[in-house]
Amino acid sequence: MGSSVIMREERRKRWIAFLVMLLVLLIMLFPFAWMISTSIKTSQEIYVRPPVWMPKSPTFENYQHVFNSTQFPRHFLNSAIVGIGTTCVALCIAITSAYSLSRLRFRGRQIYGVWLLYTQVLPHVFMLLPLFLLMSRLGLLNSYWSLIITYSTICLPFSIWMLKGYFDTTPPDLEDAARIDGCTRIQAMWRIVIPPSIPGIAAVAIYVFIVAWQEFLFALTLTRTESMRTVTVSLSMLRGDIRVLWGPIMAASVLTVLPVAIAFVFVSKSLVQGLTMGAVKG
Amino acid sequence: MKHRDIQERKTAYVLILPGIIATSLLILYPFGSAIYLGFTEYSWAFDESPRFVGLQNYTRLLFDRVFGVALQNSLVYTFFVVILQFVFGFGVALCVNVSFPGRNFFRGLTLIPWLVPTVVAALIWRWMYSFEFGIINHFLSTAGILRAAVDWLGNRRTALLAVIVVDVWKAIPFMAVMLLAGLQSVSRELYDVAKIDGCNIYQEFRYVTLPSMKGIIVTALILRTIWTLNRFDVIYLMTAGGPANATQILPTYAYVVAFSSFNMGKAAAITGVLMVLMTIATIGYFRIAHRSKSVSL
């Protein structure tokens, strides 16, 4: 008798959870549906009351506008360059740092670890002004490098901690064996530790790329000319002459989200892979 | 063996050096430099170098009307954004923690707002808030909640509320994920004991769930308070601090002072105040966490 009451309560709980989540999901995702729908409407359908839910005949004219009449493609390319550059730089630094934090004993190791964590909470606005001055003194203002260096540094702490976690799971025995066979530290790292950590490295790479891709404040400040803008800054500056051109803006938004969405699909995959690998080993 | 140890240490330092250089040059240096700039007078477009003026920037801020408004807005904004995302995030985490069909699918989809670039989110919402053709006005008037269309972002009374909604919406997923991790670490046995003792759902939540999650709750609140105090893009993109400074917060004000008035010293002082606020908030949370622990013991 008592157990059936509990069962009923369990079932009711499930239903409530399910319905609440359905509602939450609707609210969370509606803006994106609205973005996509707006991007394929004609301007007659955009500037109208009451709003049109779905365009009668979807059009790509907003996308054409973005490609032909704005500098957005150029900015998209800039962001891709900065994103890939940041990923390479951040990975190189993060892998070596994480490896030595994970494997080698040296003085200052713990202090460095704590310092890395602390940098996570330092406010970006606080660092923005000196960084701007520093970059302009170094002559790096308005260059890809200013953004690549800045973003790499922003991503480092998290990347190092995540990679250290992956490296910690590879048993040191194998590496010691390789060392006895005459491998140097670097060779051992390259041949023994890195290969099994590839899913983790991939996940970190994509995390770094996403951070670089969507950053706005530094991109706004450190790039000064139209041709150096990144996607996010470009988006914020898309305006119409007479009224806000919501069609093209939403089309450009869709294009901006796309790489992040694709990257996330890969991340979730490699994350799952990394987790299951850990489980098999564990 | 000794030789090998030294070799080992050398390798370690070589490997870690790039990381140390990067973080010191781009984090430690700007950090110190920002503190120093706050005590100088420096119009970067005209002056050669900063001139030390002591506390002048800070004392002037005391009489700066916009600064007062921005400070107040920052506090209100941060308070509501953090509280609301905590409440809703907790709700979502509790729901996702119950097993029901399609749960993982839901969990994945709720992450989307967090993943999307803030700029995109801000623009979508600006379009939805649009006075003339916005979908939000349409919804609310069809539902009979509004009699006339509201210019959400252009009205001094509603602008701050409107940007708070956007930031909460964007932040719920992260909060939910963090709290979910906490929920899943609460031991099953505690719940079983509570059941045997005849706790109802509310009591279970109050006496089992909350106390076991204290650590993660405090961490989540600290991180979120710091990030929200620093939040720049949502407000900059949606209202640029307007109308008439109704949504001006410290980061956007610092930005305007630095890059429109070229006054680096004053801007640095504003971010200095921000830094102090963050330190206070962090210490405060630790205090509360500590105190409630000693009470429950």
Side-chain angles (χ1 to χ4, degrees):
Chain A
M1 195 61 193
S3 75
S4 86
V5 169
I6 290 174
M7 280 280 279
R8 208 185 310 145
E9 199 179 282
E10 249 341 278
R11 207 174 303 147
R12 210 185 58 186
K13 218 161 101 182
R14 265 182 217 181
W15 268 106
I16 293 174
F18 178 74
L19 291 176
V20 171
M21 279 311 290
L22 210 58
L23 184 71
V24 167
L25 212 59
L26 207 66
I27 296 170
M28 290 312 230
L29 297 186
F30 175 78
F32 300 107
W34 195 235
M35 162 182 79
I36 295 169
S37 144
T38 304
S39 79
I40 51 175
K41 280 179 191 169
T42 58
S43 49
Q44 285 91 334
E45 284 172 315
I46 293 174
Y47 303 101
V48 69
R49 267 185 303 189
V52 178
W53 286 108
M54 286 300 284
K56 280 206 191 68
S57 52
T59 160
F60 284 103
E61 64 183 43
N62 293 318
Y63 291 89
Q64 274 162 3
H65 177 92
V66 167
F67 276 111
N68 299 332
S69 328
T70 69
Q71 291 238 43
F72 190 78
R74 167 71 204 245
H75 301 146
F76 199 87
L77 184 71
N78 286 346
S79 272
I81 293 172
V82 170
I84 292 169
T86 306
T87 310
C88 295
V89 173
L91 271 190
C92 287
I93 302 179
I95 287 175
T96 53
S97 298
Y99 178 80
S100 57
L101 278 179
S102 162
R103 283 302 147 79
L104 303 165
R105 303 279 166 266
F106 57 94
R107 203 175 300 152
R109 179 168 159 273
Q110 267 172 336
I111 297 175
Y112 185 63
V114 171
W115 153 243
L116 278 180
L117 274 188
Y118 183 65
T119 58
Q120 284 278 277
V121 297
L122 289 181
H124 289 174
V125 194
F126 195 64
M127 295 175 339
L128 178 75
L129 312 175
L131 216 52
F132 171 79
L133 297 174
L134 178 73
M135 290 297 176
S136 82
R137 225 167 282 152
L138 292 174
L140 286 175
L141 213 57
N142 205 32
S143 71
Y144 292 135
W145 280 111
S146 63
L147 293 180
I148 292 176
I149 296 171
T150 308
Y151 295 163
S152 301
T153 317
I154 293 176
C155 297
L156 265 189
F158 182 78
S159 308
I160 293 176
W161 274 100
M162 206 162 148
L163 284 177
K164 182 182 173 293
Y166 277 99
F167 292 164
D168 283 345
T169 60
T170 39
D173 314 355
L174 264 177
E175 217 183 324
D176 291 342
R179 300 278 311 281
I180 290 167
D181 288 350
C183 277
T184 62
R185 262 283 169 202
I186 310 286
Q187 283 170 332
M189 172 178 107
W190 193 246
R191 292 195 194 145
I192 311 286
V193 182
I194 290 192
S197 309
I198 292 225
I201 294 175
V204 171
I206 286 163
Y207 156 80
V208 173
F209 183 83
I210 292 179
V211 170
W213 184 265
Q214 66 160 359
E215 207 284 330
F216 175 70
L217 177 61
F218 288 111
L220 178 71
T221 317
L222 299 177
T223 62
R224 310 305 295 175
T225 57
E226 179 68 26
S227 62
M228 284 304 294
R229 298 296 187 193
T230 63
V231 260
T232 48
V233 182
S234 175
L235 253 183
S236 74
M237 292 179 170
L238 274 183
R239 299 237 164 91
D241 294 332
I242 307 160
R243 58 180 163 197
V244 187
L245 293 174
W246 286 114
I249 290 179
M250 287 300 119
S253 298
V254 172
L255 294 173
T256 307
V257 172
L258 223 52
V260 181
I262 295 170
F264 180 66
V265 172
F266 283 110
V267 164
S268 53
K269 219 178 183 178
S270 62
L271 273 182
V272 170
Q273 228 173 9
L275 288 176
T276 46
M277 271 183 57
V280 170
K281 262 186 232 132
Chain B
M1 216 50 198
K2 190 85 185 164
H3 171 73
R4 210 182 136 181
D5 271 3
I6 294 170
Q7 194 63 35
E8 186 93 309
R9 203 170 294 156
K10 256 194 206 151
T11 322
Y13 286 129
V14 169
L15 285 176
I16 212 158
L17 203 62
I20 292 181
I21 293 176
T23 46
S24 340
L25 185 67
L26 288 133
I27 297 178
L28 200 59
Y29 164 75
F31 187 73
S33 175
I35 295 174
Y36 173 68
L37 272 178
F39 298 111
T40 64
E41 194 168 287
Y42 187 35
S43 291
W44 57 273
F46 316 109
D47 295 349
E48 275 286 292
S49 58
R51 190 166 54 86
F52 188 80
V53 291
L55 281 169
Q56 186 185 293
N57 288 320
Y58 287 93
T59 48
R60 280 196 188 155
L61 281 183
L62 289 177
F63 303 100
D64 186 313
R65 201 192 55 82
V66 181
F67 173 78
V69 173
L71 178 64
Q72 192 192 338
N73 283 340
S74 261
L75 295 176
V76 171
Y77 177 73
T78 305
F79 177 78
F80 282 106
V81 167
V82 173
I83 287 291
L84 291 175
Q85 66 172 283
F86 177 70
V87 171
F88 288 120
F90 217 135
V92 171
L94 284 172
C95 285
V96 185
N97 199 31
V98 176
S99 62
F100 55 81
R103 176 172 76 148
N104 289 333
F105 178 69
F106 278 78
R107 210 185 272 181
L109 283 181
T110 44
L111 275 178
I112 291 178
W114 174 58
L115 276 168
V116 159
T118 314
V119 180
V120 172
L123 287 172
I124 300 175
W125 279 89
R126 229 173 82 193
W127 165 223
M128 298 204 305
Y129 275 131
S130 156
F131 174 54
E132 257 185 300
F133 305 107
I135 190 88
I136 291 178
N137 273 332
H138 173 71
F139 271 144
L140 295 179
S141 52
T142 323
I145 298 170
L146 282 184
R147 232 174 272 149
V150 173
D151 187 4
W152 293 99
L153 298 172
N155 185 323
R156 292 184 60 171
R157 303 232 310 275
T158 54
L160 194 60
L161 172 76
V163 287
I164 287 174
V165 167
V166 178
D167 216 1
V168 170
W169 171 84
K170 180 106 170 66
I172 286 176
F174 183 83
M175 194 53 133
V177 168
M178 240 176 134
L179 292 175
L180 182 66
L183 273 178
Q184 287 176 336
S185 67
V186 181
S187 92
R188 287 267 96 209
E189 286 159 32
L190 279 177
Y191 284 117
D192 293 342
V193 171
K195 270 234 167 77
I196 293 166
D197 287 351
C199 281
N200 60 30
I201 288 189
Y202 168 73
Q203 287 166 326
E204 206 179 272
F205 180 74
R206 172 69 188 80
Y207 295 107
V208 179
T209 314
L210 273 186
S212 337
M213 285 181 62
K214 202 158 53 198
I216 207 138
I217 290 175
V218 170
T219 315
L221 288 180
I222 289 178
L223 281 178
R224 272 306 167 178
T225 305
I226 291 173
W227 288 344
T228 311
L229 270 175
N230 279 304
R231 203 98 164 124
F232 167 83
D233 19 22
V234 172
I235 287 192
Y236 180 81
L237 288 160
M238 295 190 71
T239 61
N245 293 319
T247 57
Q248 195 73 267
I249 52 173
L250 293 178
T252 53
Y253 187 47
Y255 191 85
V256 171
V257 169
F259 294 101
S260 303
S261 328
F262 306 112
N263 193 339
M264 262 315 164
K266 183 178 171 191
I270 296 170
T271 59
V273 173
L274 206 54
M275 198 68 209
V276 172
L277 284 182
M278 273 177 299
T279 314
I280 294 174
T282 312
I283 295 172
Y285 281 126
F286 277 123
R287 271 273 174 78
I288 293 169
H290 193 71
R291 186 163 6 128
S292 58
K293 192 180 345 182
S294 54
V295 167
S296 68
L297 282 171

